Amino acid sequence: MTELMIISGLVLIICITSTKVLYKFGVPMLLIFIVLGMLFGSDGLVGIYFDNYELTSTLSSLGLVFIMFYGGFGTNWRMAKPVALPSVLMSSLGVIMTAGLTGLFCHLVIKTTLLEGILIGAIVASTDAASVFAVLRAQKLNLKGSLASLLEVESGSNDPIAYMMTLIVLTMMKSSGDLSISTVSPIIIKQIVFGLIVGFLLAKSTVYILKYSNFEVDGFYTIFVTAVAILSYSLSEFLGGNGYLSVYIAGIIIGNSKVPKKKSMFHFFDGVSWIMQIALFFILGLLSFPSRLPYVTSTAVSISLFMILIARPLATFIILSPFKFTAKEKIFISWVGLRGAASVVFAIFAVTYGVSIENDIFHIIFFIALFSVAIQGTLIPKVASVLDLVDNEDESLVLKTFTDYTGEINTDLLEVSITRDNQWVDKTIMDSNIPEDILIVMIKRDNKILVPKGSTVIRDGDTLVLSGNNIKHLI
């Protein structure tokens, strides 16, 4: 146990310190962590033998729960709303079209069975949010128009659809392809309906409890939300719903609601999400056997090129044709279809599902993910520049729909006297719709100083001491 703890600590330190150098050159973190895992693996320099797919599947599912919850929790719905429709279409219909086209290619060209081909297509159909975010941040790539918003929402929300398709295809393979539309339809309906309902109800209940409860320990707020994230996934899966969809919906609702301690929650889930990503990517690299990659290289490269050059662009141009995106923007959106950790996790899920698979599907998907982040991820800034889609005049945050609470420290102070006709009077701080950029430092009431809480009611005659950037323009 002590040796395992030493190795874990050293791995985390090596992963973090290595990104200090490589991150500046736009190398996606997914690639860094996976390569380090490969170096520690049985075919690597360290030589740790690890081939436990069942354990990896369990750990990966837990990791994805926090990664997807954090993705929803940090999404600023106000900024995402204008591109919500095209983003949702890309993350749903786009995934289905990409999976279908890729599946046909595998069946006709790679000569897999039809179901196995569609399984491969479903597994690699979703784009990787972690890689997209990492490249945009590392290169400080401000994109013109609403490109960044669309890419962020699409990449953060398409894993549930890919997971659902993967599950359906595996179910069909287990039934020897005998499932009919009437049999598959209930599975799809349960996945979507229970996934949405469980995530929505748990999130709304959580927001209500956080608003009107006063936990004695500040850390309990974060622990409570952590429990809800885990419960939203597990309860949805127990009922036959899509756990990843449920946890993502819960994250969006909670993250876009006025709840106490949200800033500290965000930083907590940011840290947990990164730990999960490092562990997840490293274990996936550790699980792989690089000596087997040459045997799947031609297959994986041909699938990758088909997806990059045909499947993803075709789906993108068809889906976005009703919207006001230029040809250059559609080309760029097509290029930023990075495959990543979720695809490899779904491949492990397929390996452990108990169906007969002819090809080495894990290493094929593993190679596709490596190829995608290494080639597409590294060239994203160059492609954006060539297509003239870089906005050098926009000084706003690169991740336009992702709220990271890392803005400048609030320095301006302002006292506001509350009168009977003030819009905040007789409302709790949580319900008063005070802009999130404004912090109530203290409340002066009847010659007393009150420490404000979310449940504190603002009264006529109070004097609020507010803090924030350009605060006079916010109130």
Side-chain angles (χ1 to χ4, degrees):
M1 182 63 181
T2 304
E3 291 81 0
L4 179 60
M5 293 176 67
I6 293 174
I7 293 174
S8 300
L10 289 175
V11 166
L12 288 173
I13 291 174
I14 293 172
C15 287
I16 293 171
T17 53
S18 62
T19 60
K20 184 70 176 178
V21 177
L22 299 175
Y23 189 61
K24 295 180 179 179
F25 295 97
V27 179
M29 288 190 179
L30 167 63
L31 184 61
I32 299 172
F33 300 149
I34 283 186
V35 170
L36 286 173
M38 294 169 66
L39 292 175
F40 273 76
S42 56
D43 289 346
L45 299 177
V46 180
I48 299 175
Y49 186 83
F50 182 74
D51 64 350
N52 194 327
Y53 284 92
E54 295 285 350
L55 177 61
T56 303
S57 178
T58 301
L59 294 176
S60 298
S61 297
L62 178 63
L64 283 180
V65 167
F66 285 98
I67 293 171
M68 296 203 66
F69 180 81
Y70 173 67
F73 190 85
T75 298
N76 187 332
W77 183 248
R78 182 176 59 84
M79 294 294 294
K81 193 173 182 179
V83 294
L85 181 57
S87 299
V88 170
L89 289 176
M90 285 294 296
S91 64
S92 55
L93 186 58
V95 167
I96 295 173
M97 292 179 64
T98 301
L101 291 170
T102 304
L104 288 175
F105 174 81
C106 291
H107 176 59
L108 298 175
V109 179
I110 308 299
K111 303 302 181 182
T112 66
T113 63
L114 180 59
L115 281 179
E116 187 168 325
I118 296 176
L119 175 64
I120 294 174
I123 289 173
V124 297
S126 64
T127 59
D128 185 69
S131 295
V132 172
F133 286 4
V135 172
L136 293 180
R137 274 189 169 178
Q139 298 297 320
K140 294 182 173 58
L141 195 61
N142 282 306
L143 300 173
K144 293 182 177 179
S146 57
L147 279 178
S149 298
L150 184 143
L151 292 170
E152 290 158 23
V153 177
E154 181 210 357
S155 63
S157 61
N158 57 14
D159 287 339
I161 301 299
Y163 171 71
M164 182 178 68
M165 289 192 63
T166 301
L167 179 62
I168 291 173
V169 176
L170 287 172
T171 304
M172 294 180 68
M173 293 177 70
K174 206 164 190 176
S175 303
S176 302
D178 294 333
L179 289 181
S180 62
I181 297 294
S182 59
T183 309
V184 173
S185 296
I187 298 177
I188 298 176
I189 294 173
K190 285 181 65 177
Q191 282 273 303
I192 296 176
V193 172
F194 283 114
L196 290 173
I197 291 178
V198 170
F200 178 83
L201 292 179
L202 280 177
K204 285 297 185 180
S205 301
T206 300
V207 171
Y208 182 84
I209 293 173
L210 292 176
K211 278 185 176 182
Y212 299 104
S213 297
N214 185 17
F215 297 148
E216 286 73 13
V217 180
D218 286 349
F220 285 178
Y221 289 92
T222 302
I223 296 174
F224 185 82
V225 175
T226 301
V228 170
I230 297 173
L231 187 61
S232 64
Y233 171 82
S234 56
L235 183 58
S236 179
E237 288 287 318
F238 178 76
L239 296 174
N242 191 316
Y244 296 119
L245 176 61
S246 179
V247 76
Y248 183 72
I249 293 298
I252 288 181
I253 295 174
I254 297 173
N256 286 272
S257 302
K258 290 183 177 294
V259 295
K261 313 300 178 183
K262 187 163 71 171
K263 184 175 181 179
S264 60
M265 287 182 199
F266 181 90
H267 292 305
F268 170 80
F269 285 113
D270 182 35
V272 170
S273 177
W274 274 114
I275 290 176
M276 292 299 178
Q277 290 184 57
I278 293 172
L280 174 59
F281 300 157
F282 183 85
I283 291 175
L284 293 178
L286 192 68
L287 184 65
S288 69
F289 287 79
S291 58
R292 299 182 187 176
L293 294 181
Y295 299 101
V296 300
T297 298
S298 59
T299 299
V301 170
S302 61
I303 295 174
S304 297
L305 292 176
F306 176 80
M307 294 185 69
I308 294 171
L309 301 176
I310 299 177
R312 167 81 176 180
L314 188 59
T316 300
F317 273 78
I318 291 176
I319 292 172
L320 297 183
S321 57
F323 304 96
K324 296 181 180 179
F325 290 96
T326 65
K328 289 184 177 181
E329 290 175 329
K330 294 175 185 175
I331 292 173
F332 183 74
I333 293 171
S334 300
W335 183 262
V336 191
L338 305 183
R339 314 300 150 184
S343 295
V344 185
V345 171
F346 296 158
I348 295 174
F349 182 64
V351 171
T352 59
Y353 197 77
V355 299
S356 176
I357 299 176
E358 297 179 3
N359 295 278
D360 186 357
I361 195 169
F362 171 77
H363 284 93
I364 290 175
I365 304 303
F366 185 83
F367 194 104
I368 291 174
L370 284 178
F371 186 87
S372 178
V373 295
I375 303 301
Q376 289 176 273
T378 304
L379 292 179
I380 283 177
K382 183 65 176 179
V383 173
S385 178
V386 170
L387 295 175
D388 191 28
L389 296 176
V390 180
D391 187 359
N392 293 319
E393 297 180 358
D394 189 356
E395 298 297 330
S396 60
L397 290 174
V398 174
L399 299 183
K400 295 180 178 179
T401 64
F402 199 74
T403 304
D404 59 7
Y405 297 96
T406 56
E408 298 179 359
I409 298 175
N410 296 325
T411 55
D412 297 340
L413 292 175
L414 181 68
E415 289 192 358
V416 176
S417 298
I418 302 298
T419 59
R420 174 52 55 184
D421 57 351
N422 190 285
Q423 60 178 334
W424 300 338
V425 73
D426 294 332
K427 294 181 180 179
T428 64
I429 293 176
M430 295 304 305
D431 296 330
S432 57
N433 292 323
I434 297 175
E436 292 187 0
D437 294 328
I438 295 178
L439 173 67
I440 301 179
V441 179
M442 69 176 68
I443 298 177
K444 299 178 181 179
R445 178 183 299 169
D446 298 330
N447 297 320
K448 294 181 181 179
I449 301 297
L450 302 181
V451 178
K453 298 181 179 180
S455 58
T456 301
V457 178
I458 301 172
R459 302 297 188 191
D460 180 18
D462 285 351
T463 298
L464 308 185
V465 180
L466 308 178
S467 175
N469 292 318
N470 298 318
I471 194 168
K472 293 182 180 179
H473 299 287
L474 295 174
I475 62 176

